[in-house]
Structures are given as structure tokens and as C-alpha cells.
């Protein structure tokens, strides 16, 4: 294990200590790092599961449904490219769908 000298946000460290129930700075920081790594693994696994299901759904579509879906993706991609932020793009898309 590496011995590293770093400046820590004392308030955030105290909140993390209470959250994890740890007693030392070392234990708190290590637990937070382990938690972050575990959350990243979970997100990647969930995304992989989502992609697998999306592929299964796509292959179950008829040719016409696949073509309609491709047109939808193209429109969405164009919207994302012309909009500076993702949340703004999705809000515009939702308004279009509601119309």
C-alpha cells in the first residue's frame, strides 16, 4: 500500500467517517475509495446488462420497426450534436414527443 501525503476536505472526511462508521482517516478514505470502485463496477455491469437486453429487443423487432428505430436514433443524434448540454437536448426531445 502506498504512503501518500494529501490535503483532505475535513468536513467531507467527517461526513464520510459518520457514513461508514470508521474511526480513522485512513480507514475512512480507504472505505470511500473501495465504495467508489464498487459503485463503478455495479454501474458498468448494469450498463452491460442494459446493452444485452437492448440488443435482444432490437433483434426481436421486425425490419420496419428496426428502420423506425434507426430514424429515431438519427434524429436524437442530430439533436445532441446541436445542443450544448444533454439535459437541454432531452427536454427538447420530450417536448417533441408530447406534441
Amino acid at each position: 500500500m502506498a504512503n501518500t501525503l494529501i490535503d483532505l476536505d475535513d468536513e467531507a472526511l467527517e461526513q464520510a467517517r459518520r457514513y461508514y462508521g470508521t474511526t480513522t482517516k485512513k480507514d475512512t478514505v480507504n472505505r470511500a475509495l473501495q465504495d467508489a470502485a464498487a459503485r463503478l463496477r455495479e454501474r458498468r455491469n448494469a450498463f452491460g446488462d442494459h446493452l444485452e437486453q437492448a440488443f435482444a429487443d432490437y433483434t426481436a423487432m421486425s425490419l420496419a420497426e428496426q428502420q423506425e428505430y434507426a430514424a429515431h436514433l438519427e434524429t436524437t443524434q442530430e439533436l445532441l450534436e446541436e445542443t450544448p448540454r444533454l439535459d437541454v437536448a432531452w427536454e427538447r426531445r420530450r417536448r417533441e414527443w408530447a406534441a
Side-chain angles (χ1 to χ4, degrees):
M1 191 177 304
N3 186 12
T4 306
L5 178 64
I6 58 173
D7 292 327
L8 299 173
D9 179 330
D10 291 330
E11 185 177 326
L13 183 66
E14 177 57 22
Q15 290 174 356
R17 184 198 62 75
R18 282 184 272 149
Y19 180 80
Y20 292 115
T22 52
T23 55
T24 66
K25 289 180 181 182
K26 177 182 173 181
D27 288 345
T28 303
V29 170
N30 282 329
R31 180 65 183 101
L33 293 172
Q34 292 164 356
D35 188 43
R39 288 173 188 241
L40 179 59
R41 279 191 305 275
E42 289 170 7
R43 288 179 69 188
R44 286 182 176 161
N45 288 338
F47 185 63
D49 293 345
H50 170 74
L51 288 178
E52 186 176 330
Q53 184 60 51
F55 181 73
D57 292 346
Y58 181 80
T59 57
M61 290 179 184
S62 68
L63 181 58
E65 290 171 323
Q66 289 178 354
Q67 290 170 340
E68 183 179 325
Y69 183 69
H72 162 75
L73 289 179
E74 186 175 319
T75 302
T76 300
Q77 183 62 37
E78 290 169 1
L79 176 65
L80 288 173
E81 289 172 359
E82 69 185 39
T83 309
R85 292 190 357 232
L86 184 60
D87 58 330
V88 174
W90 283 119
E91 184 56 36
R92 281 183 59 191
R93 194 71 171 133
R94 280 189 212 102
R95 284 196 305 269
E96 289 174 11
W97 290 334

